[in-house]
Amino acid sequence: MSQALTTAHSVVAPSPLSKRIAGAIVILYALVSMIPLAWILMTGFKTPPDSIAYPPKIVFAPSLEGYCNLFTTRTRQTQEYIQSLGPPQTICDEITRKRDMVIAGPSNYVPRFWNSLVIAFGSTFFAVSLGVLSAYAFSRFRIPLADDLLFFILSTRMMPPIAVAIPIYLMYRKLGLSDTALGMILLYTAVNVSLAVWLLKGFIDEIPREYEEAAMIDGYTRLHAFFKVVLPQAATGIAATAIFCLIFAWNEYAFAVLLTSGEAQTAPPFIPTIIGEGGMDWPAVGAGTTLFLVPLLVFTVLLRKHLLRGITFGAVRK
Amino acid sequence: MADIALRTVTKHFRSVTAIDGLTLDIADGELTVLVGPTGAGKTTALRIVAGLEKPDQGEVWIDGHNAADLEPAARDVTFVFQQYSLYPHLSVFDNLAFPLRSPARRVSEPEIRKRVEEVASLLRIAHKLANKSTQLSGGEMQRVAIGRALVRKPSVYLMDEPLSSLDAKLRGDLRVELKRIQQDLGATILYVTHDQIEAMTMANRIGVIDKGRLIQVGSPRQIYEDPVTLYVAQRFGQPQINVLPAGLLPNGALPVGAVTVGARTEHLDLRKDGGGEAVVEWVEHLGDQNHLHVRLGAHRITTLTPPDTPFKSGDRVAVGLTKPLYFDAQGLRVRSA
Ligand SMILES: Nc1ncnc2c1ncn2[C@@H]1O[C@H](COP(=O)(O)OP(=O)(O)OP(=O)(O)O)[C@@H](O)[C@H]1O
Ligand SMILES: [Mg+2]
């Protein structure tokens, strides 16, 4: 019976052995690709000397110095001055004083991180919103030159975005958009919207139009039907698209370096500029990178139910 | 309630003519069944009445108003789609309540609950109201789809093969149920089906369409007894009408132009006759009746006999005709002068 079924679909159930081999390969791959992540995580908890020790230390006494340094700026002081201060208020006070320094103030990490959040989530929101609306239009209405327009939209993604960096840099300076969150949101939205339109059109094409038609016959307007019927059905596609857009905007480095330097600087260009005494402050960089991974991780985990189905581009939808 | 009138409606999809000059009147409170082969344009006809497609030519009148400029929502119709009509993200209850919650209607939640429960028990899905609509069998889904049309009291019901995925028993039950509901409500229904029993038993009138054209419209009796083409004759009647070369069996003078003769059970006279030219091949027992398969030269004739039939396989029989139907080379009916 099951034999007949599997042959009918020309799919052979994997044998236990091949399953185990496949599992081993996946685990091995996962381990290898997690080494850099583990390294970053560890570096964040090392002391500066441990972080540059050679041979590298796998076992070390964990310290919060990296995290303290990430969030603060410090100045060197004389022993007498430090002793004249009261007892340390926080664990970071204590760690800093051991290095003959005192905390001078907060670092720029939090504002830079905040910029990243605003710009990445903002541009994702706009790219997905615009994407879902135009994908719906392309999917449902007869639009003159629809195919050419779709190809044009796709073609904006055909060259690496950085190829237009210089014109954009000049344009943004003229328009006063350099180093503004608005400018970065517009830019990332523009880059992502083509991806969003194409991904979402595939998903919306698969939603039978009878769903909206039934709603429209029942007295809903098209817009109502869009929100009540199409959006919930496209949730999978929207989630998958949002994750792709967010990953791009969150990690984007080249434009961020070029177009942001102060007010609107995002975390990716900021993190590598964390300098400690005598060079890069690797534990602080490790700490900053670790924290930088958290929002993407949370977002992806929250949407993973949709992502798993979405990433197959509707191929296994019921 | 309302009447519907289609006036020379034509609809093209690029090179395909889905509906070709369709003129059809559906009287108030009448159930009209559209039958026709796949691709005949039945669904398209319903969609045009619903306002989901704009006809290229012709007019649709609903309740005495030209519907040309009416949006689907303004036509006060409901549509049971051939497939895909339940919202997978909603429960059965919410699916049934969906039409009542539209901004065009103001129905209070207690009233919605009452109407939904009424319809659900009518369709025997009351115990499934809390289910997700994806957790239903095909038959249950189709009942919910019908229920969605019934919770509203529209002036016109459009139903596209609403019973097609149900098993025979449920289909029979619902057929009777739908017909009863229609009579109680005095509902105007335009109903598409492939099932001739549904068409014969439910319809006030049957319209047969093929390639977008209306071939014949009439009461089930007219369509059965007086088909205008061979296709219509073949579409109705169990077993299917026997088609033989005209003149194969003696039956007086042939009408002019007759090429084929169509003979149903009631047109055939079978007598046991040792010298007969036909042979009973086998008797198919269906329980309440039998199908008799008879071979006549290169032709085969199938006819009904009572369960206590005197015929058995191998019997020689003589075959005669009484008032059969004649068709010309194009399959059009030709009548005796
Ligand atoms: N949206 C469309 N675009 C292009 N062609 C269409 C469209 N809708 C219908 N057609 C064509 O119009 C013709 C009639 O289709 P329709 O769906 O009305 O047939 P039907 O009688 O309902 O068939 P079935 O019994 O298979 O449901 C078919 O040839 C079909 O291919
Ligand atoms: Mg159809």
Side-chain angles (χ1 to χ4, degrees):
Chain A
M1 176 66 203
S2 72
Q3 196 64 34
L5 265 179
T6 48
T7 47
H9 296 270
S10 74
V11 172
V12 181
S15 74
L17 179 69
S18 62
K19 262 191 194 164
R20 229 170 286 161
I21 293 176
I25 293 174
V26 169
I27 289 172
L28 192 73
Y29 177 74
L31 285 177
V32 169
S33 43
M34 262 154 41
I35 289 174
L37 280 178
W39 197 253
I40 288 167
L41 196 71
M42 275 160 52
T43 306
F45 288 102
K46 285 180 177 172
T47 58
D50 278 352
S51 73
I52 50 172
Y54 189 85
K57 286 196 175 172
I58 304 291
V59 185
F60 57 93
S63 144
L64 282 178
E65 190 165 349
Y67 285 85
C68 289
N69 291 357
L70 175 67
F71 287 107
T72 60
T73 54
R74 299 154 305 280
T75 49
R76 180 160 292 282
Q77 292 291 350
T78 57
Q79 284 283 343
E80 299 82 67
Y81 175 76
I82 290 172
Q83 255 130 42
S84 73
L85 296 170
Q89 302 290 307
T90 62
I91 183 148
C92 284
D93 271 342
E94 205 180 317
I95 292 171
T96 315
R97 285 181 197 182
K98 280 197 193 122
R99 301 246 180 247
D100 292 344
M101 292 193 282
V102 293
I103 291 170
S107 75
N108 274 335
Y109 185 69
V110 171
R112 300 302 183 247
F113 196 90
W114 178 247
N115 284 342
S116 267
L117 284 175
V118 169
I119 290 167
F121 280 89
S123 67
T124 299
F125 174 80
F126 286 117
V128 172
S129 307
L130 290 174
V132 77
L133 288 174
S134 37
Y136 181 77
F138 277 117
S139 171
R140 292 299 196 255
F141 299 113
R142 218 176 296 154
I143 297 173
L145 301 178
D147 289 347
D148 300 297
L149 282 173
L150 275 170
F151 182 78
F152 170 74
I153 290 173
L154 183 67
S155 71
T156 61
R157 215 37 204 273
M158 283 183 179
M159 66 183 164
I162 201 64
V164 290
I166 302 299
I168 286 179
Y169 175 74
L170 296 174
M171 225 161 69
Y172 267 40
R173 261 207 341 205
K174 266 267 180 324
L175 294 171
L177 287 171
S178 301
D179 203 19
T180 62
L182 177 67
M184 295 311 285
I185 289 175
L186 285 177
L187 181 67
Y188 291 167
T189 303
V191 174
N192 271 334
V193 80
S194 62
L195 176 79
V197 170
W198 273 81
L199 279 181
L200 286 165
K201 179 168 180 296
F203 284 100
I204 291 178
D205 280 345
E206 281 198 15
I207 302 172
R209 48 173 77 210
E210 277 88 344
Y211 284 140
E212 297 133 78
E213 290 175 344
M216 277 152 66
I217 289 173
D218 285 338
Y220 291 78
T221 61
R222 186 176 278 281
L223 197 66
H224 254 106
F226 175 76
F227 282 110
K228 288 240 166 200
V229 179
V230 180
L231 279 192
Q233 308 257 27
T236 296
I238 291 174
T241 308
I243 288 176
F244 284 128
C245 290
L246 188 73
I247 289 173
F248 168 81
W250 189 252
N251 290 336
E252 206 287 327
Y253 180 75
F255 278 116
V257 166
L258 194 71
L259 297 176
T260 68
S261 47
E263 282 306 290
Q265 193 185 41
T266 54
F270 172 75
I271 292 171
T273 65
I274 303 171
I275 309 276
E277 291 224 310
M280 294 296 295
D281 187 346
W282 292 114
V285 170
T289 310
T290 305
L291 293 180
F292 183 68
L293 294 174
V294 172
L296 264 195
L297 198 69
V298 170
F299 192 69
T300 312
V301 167
L302 285 180
L303 297 185
R304 75 186 181 289
K305 185 178 89 207
H306 295 295
L307 186 65
L308 263 184
R309 296 204 304 160
I311 218 156
T312 57
F313 297 102
V316 293
R317 293 202 322 165
K318 193 175 134 62
Chain B
M1 298 304 120
D3 59 332
I4 308 170
L6 298 174
R7 290 284 166 268
T8 60
V9 168
T10 298
K11 177 77 191 172
H12 303 275
F13 293 108
R14 280 174 220 104
S15 60
V16 183
T17 306
I19 297 285
D20 191 359
L22 180 66
T23 293
L24 181 66
D25 286 281
I26 297 138
D28 190 7
E30 202 181 67
L31 193 156
T32 298
V33 169
L34 287 182
V35 296
T38 179
K42 308 179 294 294
T43 300
T44 307
L46 293 195
R47 291 174 59 87
I48 287 174
V49 174
L52 297 173
E53 306 282 355
K54 290 228 176 301
D56 297 331
Q57 279 149 45
E59 289 164 359
V60 178
W61 293 72
I62 299 174
D63 200 17
H65 302 288
N66 189 334
D69 297 322
L70 293 183
E71 289 297 311
R75 297 189 178 201
D76 197 22
V77 300
T78 169
F79 202 130
V80 179
F81 286 91
Q82 202 167 353
Q83 49 198 151
Y84 311 122
S85 25
L86 299 192
Y87 301 126
H89 62 290
L90 297 180
S91 69
V92 171
F93 183 94
D94 289 334
N95 262 287
L96 288 169
F98 192 83
L100 298 174
R101 288 182 177 149
S102 91
R105 259 163 286 277
R106 279 178 200 274
V107 187
S108 66
E109 276 301 312
E111 174 69 13
I112 289 177
R113 176 154 288 279
K114 193 173 132 262
R115 300 253 287 266
V116 167
E117 278 166 2
E118 252 172 47
V119 166
S121 66
L122 184 67
L123 296 168
R124 281 165 275 163
I125 42 177
H127 56 297
K128 299 281 183 184
L129 282 177
N131 281 34
K132 271 244 167 197
S133 56
T134 44
Q135 301 162 338
L136 298 178
S137 73
E140 288 161 348
M141 284 188 194
Q142 211 151 11
R143 276 179 284 161
V144 178
I146 297 170
R148 281 223 331 224
L150 296 180
V151 289
R152 277 173 55 196
K153 304 246 161 23
S155 30
V156 173
Y157 295 79
L158 304 169
M159 300 192 172
D160 199 354
E161 307 195 25
L163 305 184
S164 61
S165 68
L166 304 180
D167 65 54
K169 160 102 174 65
L170 196 57
R171 184 190 281 223
D173 289 354
L174 272 182
R175 192 169 71 214
V176 176
E177 201 62 61
L178 266 183
K179 184 64 187 168
R180 191 184 61 72
I181 295 168
Q182 187 249 334
Q183 281 167 341
D184 287 356
L185 297 175
T188 309
I189 302 184
L190 186 53
Y191 188 104
V192 170
T193 183
H194 272 112
D195 183 311
Q196 56 160 311
I197 300 176
E198 256 168 58
M200 295 299 283
T201 57
M202 297 177 75
N204 297 104
R205 293 202 312 149
I206 294 177
V208 184
I209 60 176
D210 189 14
K211 303 193 181 76
R213 291 173 171 278
L214 187 69
I215 302 174
Q216 185 173 8
V217 59
S219 68
R221 223 188 134 113
Q222 281 171 331
I223 298 273
Y224 180 80
E225 290 178 356
D226 197 14
V228 298
T229 68
L230 185 55
Y231 170 75
V232 176
Q234 285 176 316
R235 200 75 183 65
F236 296 94
Q238 260 305 330
Q240 206 181 49
I241 193 166
N242 297 290
V243 182
L244 303 166
L248 180 72
L249 294 166
N251 183 37
L254 291 177
V256 180
V259 174
T260 51
V261 60
R264 292 198 172 107
T265 300
E266 58 269 29
H267 304 130
L268 288 165
D269 265 333
L270 261 61
R271 274 174 297 105
K272 274 202 190 178
D273 181 344
E277 65 278 41
V279 183
V280 174
E281 278 202 313
W282 91 88
V283 185
E284 200 178 3
H285 299 279
L286 300 178
D288 57 337
Q289 55 196 13
N290 291 342
H291 279 177
L292 198 62
H293 297 268
V294 176
R295 174 165 293 285
L296 175 66
H299 303 280
R300 177 176 283 168
I301 300 172
T302 307
T303 175
L304 277 180
T305 64
D308 56 351
T309 178
F311 298 105
K312 55 184 190 304
S313 54
D315 284 354
R316 288 213 153 257
V317 290
V319 184
L321 290 174
T322 39
K323 296 193 187 157
L325 310 171
Y326 289 102
F327 301 93
D328 69 10
Q330 278 75 49
L332 297 179
R333 179 87 178 277
V334 285
R335 292 160 205 274
S336 347

